[in-house]
């Protein structure tokens, strides 16, 4: 038996970044175990991380660049693929202009230190404004609100969970997701600790989630009505005069506009649509005001709803005016070891000024909404997209009206996918290029550590656990080569600068090891600038704690609006809030079924179904969850089949009767629908249905302020199939 090596590393599937011990034998990852000595995760890890070696070693992994020739996929050399792609891009760019070339960056890019940087440098070099990403199905409402209130997309207050007395979790299920836009390993242990020390955790959710069952209290809310809940919350706060006037006077503008926004929404009125009794809400507000350090937090259940921007705006206003912003136990904006937001403010690094084509979307903070992609492929005229590069994304399953998008992809003259697998989107590609998985590259928890988004700050450096196999390459290598091949070079901005620095450091390429050497060198550079040199981090293989400052780092110090104040009442938000009357009336009178989004323990968006541990047992498909009451009313039975119909589409799916939903609410996990996946042998056999056949695309499929996709609280009808 060959020698086994154990390497401490960390998982890069979700934002928690859990410490893992990787046991390798030669170039094989034999097992992944939780790292008990990890400074932040302390032995916690979930099944996705622990079983990820099965995905990493899947026989379906891409090893070589592949080209579609008719109906077949043929191996092609990197050199030849780059030359052919480059020639096609040059001719399309000459004929139609730079905006005919688009990029779409998927979720896993957030976990590769230089993935997004290199992608943006490539698009910058091409000179295109057509930059799309999964952020528009995830959190662009949060970007817009932070940009308006605090002057930068990534100044996102995070709940100070380890010190709080009360946290309200709206539209999130940490037991399964580990939360988002904040790095919280062991989220559930931290939430339980709040209750153990006498504090309160309250879930606000149309579903009695795994989180709500395990910790704290739960309030059912009718899907899509969170904005009314928070309007009432703020109405009570202001009516009771429970405002931190010193904070408001010293650090904010716009306070005087707030009473007018919420005056008409006392809890006794909004309970008609939220389903939350006014007394329960008043009691919650009272507890929140009594706590020394409390915060409201929301996630995708709100972001994907009809009022993601207004809801997140009110949430931030409440945390601020009650004195909980920048306060221990409240909502913190931390100063990271390398001030990413500050350098980004100066250089544009990490923010997108992409502009959607047409439409009235002035506020959209970038990237462009992926829900507009199919329109952008098929609408002739200036900026019609002719070629697209998709890296670490699967828009066919992750974007609204997936079937239409799949058809529209076939209109492209060039589609290049950079991925671990030939996924459902790549099925429509002309070329697929093989990327390294996270086990094949060095990293730090780049975005979260450098944007100050950690609940319990730490830093960790991991080497590649195994060298990149076959002809797999890091994205930084791939985008630098693509830029060369397209004859454009990397952009002149910050992303281009960084990636060029990487090029200079790369030295003489040694086949097969180039990518590993290169990202490691660039990381060394960035870590030296951040004053945490790699050699120091290597001495702390289980991570090193960074100073944990509880508040006082933000107000008056790092608010990046022009006047350095928090802008509580951006005029377009105030104007949009006047439209709530009509929405309220519509909610009050339409009592039809609502479909909500949900996540499953063994699924990670669309990409973990291609290995047995993730689709074994009763996990072979996705099911429509329905309450017994609604099942009876619609004539559905547990295990039977249902047709689910929305304005956009229809799916047929197995029914699972449940007691965890609010009556009038059904749920269907997304990320399934693998029937057409020629490159995914296991997933194809456990196909499930694509929930995004039901969600809309185009201008009707987005929240108009931020461009966020509308993926929850959808009106649907169900009937037996
Ligand atoms: N196991 C697993 N973990 C994941 C992922 C995964 O796919 N699988 N994905 C990762 C990613 S990319 C992200 S962005 C994060 C997301 O992390 P979360 O935002 O925590 O995601 P969910 O677990 O889907 O929680 C959303 C919750 O919103 C509720 N909800 C739906 N509609 C509404 C509504 O109108 N109002 C309210 N108040 N609640 C509503 C749903 O019942 C659900 O419990 O998770 C990450 N972690
Ligand atoms: N209906 C509905 N739709 C949703 C959601 C929902 O809750 N409901 N959630 C939304 C959310 S929050 C998100 S973030 C989006 C996600 O949307 P996408 O990012 O478009 O889709 P994923 O399913 O995450 O696909 C990720 C792809 O990246 C590949 N990959 C994994 N690691 C790497 C790597 O290191 N390098 C490269 N190059 N490729 C890699 C995987 O093989 C996979 O093909 O989906 C959204 N769609
Ligand atoms: S919780 Fe997230 S980071 Fe931790 S092991 Fe699971 S997938 Fe990986
Ligand atoms: Mo996400």
């Amino acid at each position: 038996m060959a020698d086994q090596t154990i390497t401490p590393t960390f998982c890069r599937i979700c934002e928690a970044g859990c410490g893992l011990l990787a046991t390798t034998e030669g170039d094989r990852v034999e097992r992944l175990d939780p790292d008990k000595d990890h400074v932040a995760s302390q032995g916690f890890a979930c099944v996705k991380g622990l079983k990820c070696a099965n995905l990493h070693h899947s026989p379906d992994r891409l090893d070589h660049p592949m080209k579609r020739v008719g109906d077949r996929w043929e191996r092609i050399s990197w050199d030849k693929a780059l030359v052919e792609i480059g020639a096609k891009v040059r001719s399309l760019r000459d004929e139609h202009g730079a905006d005919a070339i688009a990029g779409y960056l998927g979720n896993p890019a957030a976990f590769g230190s230089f993935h997004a940087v290199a992608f943006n440098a490539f698009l910058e070099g091409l000179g295109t404004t057509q930059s799309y990403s999964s952020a528009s199905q995830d959190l662009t409402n949060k970007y817009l609100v932070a940009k308006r209130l605090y002057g930068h997309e990534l100044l996102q207050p995070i709940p100070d969970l380890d010190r709080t007395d009360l946290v309200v979790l709206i539209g999130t299920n940490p037991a399964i997701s580990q939360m988002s836009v904040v790095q919280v390993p062991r989220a559930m242990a931290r939430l339980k600790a709040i209750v153990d020390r006498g504090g309160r955790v309250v879930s606000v959710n149309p579903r009695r989630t795994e989180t709500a069952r395990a910790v704290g209290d739960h309030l059912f809310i009718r899907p899509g009505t969170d904005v009314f809940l928070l309007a009432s919350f703020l109405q009570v706060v202001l009516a009771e005069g429970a405002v931190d006037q010193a904070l408001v006077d010293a650090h904010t503008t716009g306070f005087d506009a707030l009473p007018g926004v919420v005056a008409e929404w006392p809890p006794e009125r909004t309970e008609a649509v939220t389903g939350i009794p006014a007394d329960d809400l008043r009691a919650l507000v009272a507890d929140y005001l009594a706590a020394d350090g409390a915060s409201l937090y929301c996630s995708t259940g709100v972001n994907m709803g009809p009022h993601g921007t207004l809801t997140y705006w009110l949430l931030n206003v409440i945390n601020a005016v009650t004195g909980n912003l920048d306060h221990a136990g409240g909502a913190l904006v931390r100063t990271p070891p390398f001030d990413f937001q500050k350098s980004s403010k100066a250089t544009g690094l990490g923010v997108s000024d992409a502009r959607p084509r047409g439409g009235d979307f002035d506020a959209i903070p970038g990237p462009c909404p992926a829900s507009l992609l199919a329109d952008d492929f098929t609408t002739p005229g200036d900026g019609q997209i002719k070629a697209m590069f998709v890296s670490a994304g699967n828009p066919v399953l992750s974007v609204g009206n997936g079937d239409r998008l799949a058809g529209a992809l076939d209109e492209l003259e060039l589609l290049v996918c950079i991925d671990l697998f030939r996924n459902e989107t790549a099925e429509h590609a002309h070329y697929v290029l093989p990327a390294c998985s996270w086990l094949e590259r060095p990293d730090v928890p780049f975005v979260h550590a450098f944007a100050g988004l950690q609940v319990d700050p730490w830093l960790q450096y991991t080497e590649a656990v195994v060298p990149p196999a076959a002809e797999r390459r890091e994205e930084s290598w791939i985008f630098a080569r693509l830029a060369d091949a397209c004859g454009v070079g990397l952009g002149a901005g910050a992303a281009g600068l960084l990636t060029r620095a990487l090029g200079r450091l790369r030295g003489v390429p040694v086949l097969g090891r180039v990518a590993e050497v290169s990202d490691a060198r660039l990381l060394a550079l960035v870590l030296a600038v951040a004053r945490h040199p790699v050699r120091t981090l290597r001495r702390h293989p289980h991570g090193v704690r960074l100073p944990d400052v509880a508040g006082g780092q933000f107000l008056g110090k790092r608010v990046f609006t022009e006047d350095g104040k928090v802008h509580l009442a951006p005029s377009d938000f105030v104007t949009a809030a006047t439209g709530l009357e009509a929405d309220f009336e519509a909610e009050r009178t339409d009592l039809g079924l609502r479909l909500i989004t949900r996540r499953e323990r063994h699924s990670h968006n669309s990409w973990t179904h291609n290995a047995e541990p993730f689709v074994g047992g009763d996990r072979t498909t996705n099911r429509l969850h329905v309450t017994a009451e609604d099942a009876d009313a619609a004539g559905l039975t547990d295990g039977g089949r249902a047709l689910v119909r929305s304005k956009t589409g229809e799916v047929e799916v197995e029914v699972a009767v449940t007691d965890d939903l609010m009556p009038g609410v059904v749920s269907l996990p997304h990320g399934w629908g693998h029937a057409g996946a020629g490159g995914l042998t296991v997933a194809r056999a456990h196909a499930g249905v694509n929930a995004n056949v039901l969600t809309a695309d185009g201008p009707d499929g987005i929240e108009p302020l931020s461009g966020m996709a509308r993926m929850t609280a959808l009106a649907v009808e169900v009937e037996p199939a």
Side-chain angles (χ1 to χ4, degrees), residues 64-317:
H64 308 284
M66 305 292 284
K67 175 184 182 177
R68 185 153 53 83
V69 182
D71 299 342
R72 279 180 310 118
W73 286 93
E74 290 184 357
R75 183 170 162 185
I76 180 173
S77 71
W78 268 109
D79 283 347
K80 195 149 186 281
L82 289 166
V83 167
E84 291 184 13
I85 293 167
K88 188 74 191 171
V89 168
R90 284 171 208 241
S91 89
L92 288 172
R93 193 164 167 263
D94 286 349
E95 194 182 336
H96 304 286
D99 280 346
I101 324 289
Y104 174 93
L105 193 64
N107 174 268
F111 307 101
S113 300
F114 299 112
H115 190 153
V117 170
F119 170 87
N120 288 327
F122 173 56
L123 294 192
E124 239 176 59
L126 286 170
T128 176
T129 58
Q130 298 296 298
S131 178
Y132 296 76
S133 98
S134 58
S136 65
Q137 296 98 268
D138 186 341
L139 80 164
T140 46
N141 62 317
K142 290 195 168 184
Y143 285 169
L144 177 62
V145 168
K147 190 171 160 180
R148 282 291 202 302
L149 267 61
Y150 311 124
H152 195 286
E153 286 87 330
L154 286 172
L155 288 173
Q156 297 286 346
I158 57 171
D160 188 14
L161 291 185
D162 293 345
R163 276 172 288 254
T164 195
D165 282 349
L166 184 150
V167 63
V168 185
L169 302 169
I170 312 174
T172 182
N173 185 10
I176 300 299
S177 71
Q178 307 301 318
M179 305 173 68
S180 183
V181 202
V182 54
Q183 191 154 48
V184 199
R186 303 187 287 120
M188 287 306 284
R190 292 176 203 265
L191 293 175
K192 284 178 181 155
I194 297 171
V195 174
D196 288 347
R197 61 177 182 261
R200 260 191 100 184
V201 173
V202 182
S203 289
V204 179
N205 203 304
R207 179 169 172 251
R208 191 180 301 109
T209 57
E210 292 80 355
T211 307
R213 282 183 189 277
V215 62
D217 312 312
H218 173 231
L219 297 172
F220 274 130
I221 186 166
R222 171 89 171 156
T225 67
D226 303 87
V227 72
F228 299 107
L229 171 75
L230 291 190
S232 290
F233 199 118
L234 182 59
Q235 193 271 339
V236 176
V237 166
L238 297 182
E240 295 190 0
V243 168
D244 183 336
Q245 203 59 48
L247 182 153
V248 166
D249 292 345
H251 298 295
T252 73
T253 65
F255 179 80
D256 292 346
L258 298 173
V261 172
V262 296
E264 299 303 317
W265 303 114
E268 289 68 20
R269 182 172 178 217
T270 57
E271 68 181 0
V273 299
T274 61
I276 297 181
D279 287 346
D280 289 358
L281 178 53
R282 287 188 182 279
L284 179 62
V285 179
D287 278 1
Y288 175 91
L289 293 174
D292 178 20
S295 69
L296 307 178
Y297 166 87
C298 76
S299 192
T300 58
V302 167
N303 301 347
M304 295 175 183
H307 309 107
T309 298
L310 295 182
T311 313
Y312 191 54
W313 166 45
L314 294 175
L315 182 148
N316 276 269
V317 164

Side-chain angles (χ1 to χ4, degrees), residues 675-687:
L680 303 171
T681 43
V682 179
R684 195 173 58 224
H686 304 278

